Amino acid sequence: MTHGHALAEVRALVKEYHVGGGLFRPRAALRAVDGVSLAVARGETLGLVGESGSGKTTIGRCILRLAEPTSGEVRFDGEDVLALPPARLRALRRRMQIVFQDPYGSLNPRMRVGAAVREPVEVHRLEPKGSAAARVRALFAEVGLDPTYVDRFPHELSGGQRQRVAIARALSVEPDFLVLDEPVSALDVSVQAQVLNLLADLKRRRELTYLFIAHDLAVVRYLADRVAVIYLGTLMEVASSTALYAAPLHPYTVSLLSAVPVPDPDRRRARIVLSGDAPSLRRPPSGCLFHPRCPHPQKSDRCRAEAPPLREVRPGRWVACHYAEDPLPVPPA
Amino acid sequence: MKPLLSVRDLRTTFRTADGVARAADGVSFDLFPAETLGLVGESGCGKTVTALSILRLIEGPAGEIGAESVVEYDGRNLLQLPESELRAVRGAEIAMIFQEPGASLNPVLSVGTQITETLLAHRVMTRATARQRAVELLELVGLADAARRMNDYPHQLSGGMQQRVMIAIALSCEPRILIADEPTTALDVTIQAQILELLAHLKHQLGMAMILITHDLGVVAGLADRVAVMYAGQVVEEAPVRQLFAAPQHPYTEALLNAAPRLDRPADRLAAIPGAVPPATAWPEGCRFHPRCAYGWERCTTPPPHLEATPGHRARCWLVEQPSRRRA
Amino acid sequence: MPLTVQRLLVQRRAQAGLLLIALLVAGALLAPIVSPYDPIAQLDLEQRQLLAPSPAHPFGTDLLSRDLLSRVLFGARISLAIAFLSVTVSIVVGTLVGLVAGFAGGALDTLAMRAVDTALAIPRIFLLLVILGLWGAVGVPVLIVILGLTNWFDTSRLVRAEVLSLKQREFVLATRALGVGPTRTLFGHILPNVAAPITVSAALGIGQIVLVEAGLSFLGIGVRKPTPSWGLMIAESQDLMVSAWWTVAFPGLAIVITVIAFSLLGDALQAALDPRTR
């Protein structure tokens, strides 16, 4: 695992959306992200895991300033991203890029894929006129695409190929940092593996830093050095990948891990099955956000009254639980 | 034991701008009473088309089920039944639930109405009885506060709850077979666990047979008794679940098992399957997996039939006859 | 997009519409060569007034002994030219307004759309009557511009709606992330994807404008005599509808066929471009 100072960082990030409301009702404020602080060290892959509505995608977009945070700080390589004037922001955009989940939606359906990859090169004037095409072809080869595909339209490519185009496009500006927002969730298993391998190779070769956002714990484990688990806009647990998967400390992490179906019929283990659905962000639970569904035997009134802060219970292990010292055991096989 | 449902040589085609897509191309399998058959494959393999074909839900004129295809249920070929008789089977004896529960529920009817309408369509009972039965069904599928939920509309429910409602509708007439097409793919992991647990529970309680269609090998491992793996419009391997995972005979099954990232077996590098699924308009000659197979050799240009490796375990692969070639 | 063209040409109504349009355009373009007589020449006020259709005059002659076939053919030139050009003006203006309003949002959008709403509240014929009535006799070029500038409102709403939905698509977000500026995004990414509703709008608009122009000319404030316009021809021959039916029937038929042809095409385009049937 590589160490380094934080390349991308958010502090006390809050993002509110205002919904509903009408003539007589005030608009309600939904806190999609509620005071999250995370740092991605140079050279590492930080996995950000959560289910739908957890706020993970919003965090990724706030870091790139594709969404404006309501409050909090966003720093990239020490610079305050939120305070940058448009010209500086545009220059900074070269260093951080994003790959989206939907390989079809993230490409302009009326633009040939080669042109889509060439555009950022032209916009940032990274190559003299003549050699942009050569650069595009090199990028295609690097992501495992046949360079003759440059004249194709997105609908002529498979999901995996489109995702490779999206990756090539992100790499065209030579970024240091990539936000990968569920990059393989929409792909078949066999294609997933190809793209994950590609992402691992690219990271090594280009010395990239990744923020890997996903809901699939098995996929995240493959690439991540550290993992942060998020629920309803708040971090529940942050730890190194090995530690998290071996011994999760937060009841939500434990439930999440036990819920993943394992392809082994002999391991039909007793699962922790959470009851009920995730509460709506409009009416978040009091105290600990997870308490209504928490299976921890020591759950108490304290959990309902007091939201546990994210604290470092052991070096490098952060947990937001009052009873983290006495974690829920992972159900045996 | 006689099979409850027998699919034989199912061929379903679609006319597309690029030619005829042979989505299901000679699919055959049996479903026995009270067993869960997992139908596994990636997108484009024909599993959903197969399910829709069983209930003759394929839309013409573009889609067509081949005349020689047979879906035998209760001594009759469902594909040849007059529409009125088939309607009596659909929903009442063979029910289906789909991937996107939100899209399958009528947004302008309350949940209660949707269940009672299904009941009244297939059974003779008073509306009051139907409503009562509907509440019982919602409780059966684990929906909290069932009586109150009857008046809710689909959009007021979460994805997990909607799927429970779908299951309630499907079970309302006590079908003998439930076809579940990717029932948990669109749901969060923790909700998925709930729904899978519910299905397992219902399976035992109702003694229902189930065809579980999914791309997720973990889901299949947890629920299925037998598994049929599909690739390129055909079943390429069929086996009891433990045997499939312990000793897969077809290279595609093996490759699929190795390509999936697993919590229990972390890997440094995932064994990806090279290439991509060919289009249904142009299946390769010979063995359809042959262009991507790690073991392929000249014999593979002849399409292999199903070969039995051990009783109850068959695969469409010449390796079954020549296991010595099974060296990467 | 050859696929869309394929989907279009497969439809019977597209084939019918395109065939009719081809005939009309051919007639209009070749009018000077093909028409047997000069459209404004009064051939023989004694002998050739109001002749019924015959081999010498397939469409007959009018009150001033002018050959109707020649007048209908030249009328096609005028009517189609006015329609194509004014629709071009309205499409260009409407698209620009829709693009900018939809993309910029905020106050600019509100301002533009309220202005459009206001303009739409005024019945178009009324508006045209007022403008043309006050202005007096206008040449065809000015008429084209006036028609164009009074017809762009629907297009702008259509385009704006499309832009609003496109703005939410991930590929637009991606261009922002890549540092592509708003102008380039608007014209390089959003505009090509708005082509669909614009094309449909244009096709249907042409048919509409032919009708509007015919109406205005009929009322005497559109194309002025002696320039042959179908509407004008009908106006001149109103009283002769029963006694010399051909003087009204053929120009009327020409209008009807034109409108039908473009409606068929517009309909077929809409079906071909509909993403749901893809």
Side-chain angles (χ1 to χ4, degrees):
Chain A
M1 186 168 115
T2 50
H3 298 272
H5 80 280
L7 184 59
E9 193 181 348
V10 296
R11 280 188 216 155
L13 185 69
V14 173
K15 175 68 183 163
E16 274 179 0
Y17 288 102
H18 293 269
V19 286
L23 212 45
F24 300 109
R25 255 183 313 144
R27 281 155 76 84
L30 270 178
R31 286 208 157 193
V33 180
D34 195 5
V36 168
S37 299
L38 268 184
V40 188
R42 187 183 291 278
E44 82 165 335
T45 296
L46 176 66
L48 183 55
V49 175
E51 297 177 293
S52 49
S54 58
K56 56 192 193 298
T57 297
T58 311
I59 294 177
R61 295 193 182 182
C62 282
I63 292 182
L64 261 52
R65 217 171 150 191
L66 290 176
E68 285 295 326
T70 309
S71 72
E73 267 183 68
V74 178
R75 290 188 171 274
F76 187 80
D77 210 3
E79 268 189 275
D80 184 352
V81 174
L82 301 176
L84 287 179
R88 279 289 299 132
L89 181 60
R90 199 141 164 268
L92 190 64
R93 284 255 156 86
R94 275 196 55 201
R95 298 187 59 198
M96 47 186 190
Q97 279 301 313
I98 181 166
V99 175
F100 295 95
Q101 174 178 359
D102 179 5
Y104 195 31
S106 62
L107 296 175
N108 183 340
R110 303 236 187 275
M111 199 177 210
R112 293 180 203 271
V113 293
V117 175
R118 196 176 58 239
E119 185 176 36
V121 174
E122 287 172 353
V123 161
H124 291 276
R125 303 207 193 114
L126 298 173
E127 288 274 345
K129 270 270 187 218
S131 37
R135 182 156 164 149
V136 170
R137 275 196 300 275
L139 281 165
F140 266 56
E142 193 176 355
V143 300
L145 277 173
D146 186 344
T148 62
Y149 283 9
V150 288
D151 285 323
R152 296 210 180 170
F153 286 98
H155 70 261
E156 295 175 291
L157 301 176
S158 70
Q161 290 168 328
R162 287 180 216 139
Q163 205 59 315
R164 289 175 196 264
V165 171
I167 294 173
R169 182 178 62 178
L171 292 176
S172 66
V173 294
E174 314 263 302
D176 301 312
F177 177 61
L178 273 188
V179 172
L180 302 165
D181 191 353
E182 308 239 37
V184 296
S185 307
L187 304 174
D188 278 324
V189 163
S190 54
V191 181
Q192 249 187 38
Q194 291 175 6
V195 176
L196 286 174
N197 284 344
L198 171 66
L199 287 171
D201 288 339
L202 286 170
K203 180 173 177 216
R204 256 192 319 268
R205 224 181 307 135
R206 287 180 170 242
E207 291 179 345
L208 297 168
T209 305
Y210 286 165
L211 174 65
F212 193 99
I213 301 173
H215 67 271
D216 187 333
L217 280 164
V219 165
V220 166
R221 180 178 201 171
Y222 175 62
L223 274 185
D225 303 306
R226 280 194 311 141
V227 178
V229 178
I230 184 168
Y231 182 77
L232 284 185
T234 307
L235 287 178
M236 296 285 126
E237 183 165 3
V238 185
S240 77
S241 187
T242 10
L244 190 104
Y245 287 92
L249 296 178
H250 195 285
Y252 178 58
T253 315
V254 176
S255 313
L256 215 50
L257 281 169
S258 93
V260 176
V262 165
D264 187 344
D266 290 321
R267 292 187 66 181
R268 294 189 194 193
R269 59 201 192 286
R271 288 209 270 236
I272 295 182
V273 179
L274 294 177
S275 58
D277 294 293
S280 153
L281 282 170
R282 281 184 212 230
R283 266 186 301 272
S286 59
C288 170
L289 288 169
F290 187 58
H291 90 260
R293 304 167 82 197
C294 181
H296 199 290
Q298 288 178 28
K299 180 163 75 169
S300 66
D301 289 330
R302 189 180 176 204
C303 300
R304 195 173 335 142
E306 199 187 314
L310 189 69
R311 58 195 172 94
E312 195 167 12
V313 296
R314 292 175 215 163
R317 302 223 50 183
W318 300 74
V319 191
C321 178
H322 295 304
Y323 302 102
E325 281 78 8
D326 203 355
L328 198 57
V330 182
Chain B
M1 194 175 19
K2 198 170 170 301
L4 186 56
L5 181 80
S6 189
V7 176
R8 290 198 290 278
D9 206 26
L10 176 68
R11 282 171 209 278
T12 306
T13 55
F14 291 91
R15 265 199 312 235
T16 72
D18 300 310
V20 177
R22 287 158 35 216
D25 204 17
V27 175
S28 304
F29 59 83
D30 291 328
L31 178 69
F32 292 93
E35 85 164 346
T36 298
L37 175 72
L39 201 55
V40 175
E42 297 177 294
S43 49
C45 71
K47 54 194 196 294
T48 298
V49 167
T50 301
L52 292 173
S53 302
I54 291 176
L55 285 177
R56 227 164 77 192
L57 290 170
I58 301 290
E59 298 264 311
E64 200 181 311
I65 303 179
E68 340 68 41
S69 316
V70 174
V71 174
E72 193 177 322
Y73 172 73
D74 216 13
R76 303 173 286 174
N77 182 357
L78 293 181
L79 299 177
Q80 308 282 353
L81 277 187
E83 186 71 22
S84 51
E85 285 183 50
L86 184 61
R87 238 179 290 138
V89 172
R90 273 193 209 135
E93 304 205 37
I94 305 181
M96 189 158 173
I97 59 176
F98 303 90
Q99 177 173 344
E100 301 269 359
S104 321
L105 291 171
N106 187 333
V108 301
L109 291 178
S110 75
V111 157
T113 310
Q114 297 193 47
I115 304 180
T116 51
E117 288 314 309
T118 313
L119 281 167
L120 293 171
H122 289 284
R123 299 269 184 275
V124 179
M125 58 174 72
T126 63
R127 194 166 282 273
T129 320
R131 270 196 90 77
Q132 201 180 333
R133 180 94 184 96
V135 175
E136 284 167 18
L137 281 164
L138 289 180
E139 283 168 355
L140 179 68
V141 297
L143 213 54
D145 222 358
R148 194 108 56 90
R149 291 272 174 251
M150 289 280 288
N151 298 323
D152 279 345
Y153 286 87
H155 70 265
Q156 294 173 282
L157 305 176
S158 71
M161 291 197 273
Q162 286 173 349
Q163 196 59 296
R164 289 174 194 272
V165 170
M166 268 252 77
I167 295 173
I169 295 176
L171 297 180
S172 58
C173 300
E174 287 153 43
R176 289 162 76 188
I177 302 178
L178 176 67
I179 304 179
D181 188 358
E182 306 258 23
T184 56
T185 306
L187 304 172
D188 278 327
V189 150
T190 49
I191 309 297
Q192 176 174 291
Q194 290 177 3
I195 299 295
L196 291 174
E197 191 188 58
L198 172 66
L199 286 173
H201 174 73
L202 288 171
K203 226 182 57 161
H204 283 125
Q205 193 176 342
L206 303 173
M208 199 172 52
M210 188 160 61
I211 300 179
L212 178 64
I213 299 170
T214 177
H215 65 275
D216 188 331
L217 288 163
V219 168
V220 153
L223 267 186
D225 301 309
R226 275 192 319 126
V227 184
V229 180
M230 284 189 70
Y231 182 80
Q234 296 175 320
V235 174
V236 296
E237 184 162 0
E238 208 180 316
V241 68
R242 281 191 170 72
Q243 276 186 42
L244 189 95
F245 282 86
Q249 292 297 304
H250 196 284
Y252 176 60
T253 313
E254 194 187 314
L256 218 51
L257 284 167
N258 290 333
R262 302 166 59 134
L263 277 183
D264 58 334
R265 256 189 254 165
D268 252 344
R269 200 161 175 73
L270 293 169
I273 310 179
V277 179
T281 45
W283 297 133
E285 296 289 315
C287 168
R288 293 183 184 173
F289 187 61
H290 160 55
R292 307 170 72 192
C293 184
Y295 306 107
W297 78 101
E298 311 75 46
R299 195 169 183 198
C300 304
T301 51
T302 315
H306 269 300
L307 298 169
E308 193 153 28
T310 56
H313 189 164
R314 53 189 198 144
R316 260 186 212 273
C317 182
W318 295 121
L319 284 174
V320 175
E321 279 183 2
Q322 294 177 255
S324 55
R325 283 205 163 251
R326 204 184 284 275
R327 264 174 281 111
Chain C
M1 298 146 278
L3 180 66
T4 320
V5 174
Q6 260 183 1
R7 283 159 57 100
L8 178 66
L9 295 176
V10 141
Q11 302 177 64
R12 279 225 210 280
R13 27 179 191 178
Q15 294 164 6
L18 283 169
L19 183 64
L20 287 173
I21 294 173
L23 286 172
L24 288 164
V25 171
L29 288 175
L30 299 173
I33 308 171
V34 171
S35 58
Y37 301 93
D38 181 341
I40 57 176
Q42 299 176 15
L43 301 167
D44 191 343
L45 279 169
E46 311 233 336
Q47 301 278 351
R48 305 235 206 154
Q49 252 190 10
L50 294 177
L51 291 179
S54 65
H57 296 278
F59 282 12
T61 60
D62 69 356
L63 194 58
L64 298 178
S65 72
R66 294 177 293 198
D67 176 51
L68 227 45
L69 175 58
S70 313
R71 282 182 70 74
V72 168
L73 283 174
F74 272 85
R77 279 169 92 85
I78 295 292
S79 300
L80 287 178
I82 293 179
F84 277 108
L85 291 171
S86 67
V87 166
T88 306
V89 171
S90 57
I91 292 285
V92 167
V93 175
T95 304
L96 272 172
V97 173
L99 275 179
V100 173
F103 197 66
L108 190 58
D109 181 25
T110 316
L111 197 65
M113 285 304 112
R114 294 297 81 80
V116 166
D117 283 342
T118 315
L120 280 172
I122 307 173
R124 186 173 35 189
I125 291 287
F126 182 73
L127 184 63
L128 288 167
L129 277 172
V130 169
I131 297 177
L132 292 168
L134 288 177
W135 201 312
V138 293
V140 169
V142 178
L143 184 62
I144 290 175
V145 170
I146 292 177
L147 282 173
L149 292 178
T150 50
N151 199 30
W152 57 265
F153 310 113
D154 279 323
T155 306
S156 73
R157 286 240 287 234
L158 226 63
V159 169
R160 173 184 173 270
E162 197 69 18
V163 170
L164 286 179
S165 101
L166 280 168
K167 263 202 319 190
Q168 309 299 332
R169 300 263 293 271
E170 259 172 12
F171 73 84
V172 175
L173 197 58
T175 59
R176 238 178 89 204
L178 291 162
V180 176
T183 324
R184 190 168 174 149
T185 305
L186 191 55
F187 290 101
H189 289 270
I190 303 221
L191 181 57
N193 282 289
V194 182
I198 295 181
T199 329
V200 176
S201 211
L204 293 172
I206 294 179
Q208 269 182 16
I209 288 291
V210 165
L211 214 47
V212 171
E213 178 270 313
L216 291 175
S217 307
F218 180 83
L219 292 172
I221 51 174
V223 175
R224 305 293 168 131
K225 35 188 165 188
T227 321
S229 145
W230 295 331
L232 205 48
M233 287 161 69
I234 297 180
E236 290 169 341
S237 318
Q238 291 176 63
D239 303 324
L240 304 168
M241 248 197 294
V242 178
S243 51
W245 58 268
W246 56 92
T247 53
V248 173
F250 288 111
L253 208 57
I255 295 174
V256 167
I257 291 178
T258 310
V259 175
I260 290 181
F262 282 99
S263 299
L264 285 173
L265 180 63
D267 251 7
L269 265 173
Q270 191 145 52
L273 291 166
D274 187 347
R276 274 168 296 160
T277 55
R278 243 174 228 164

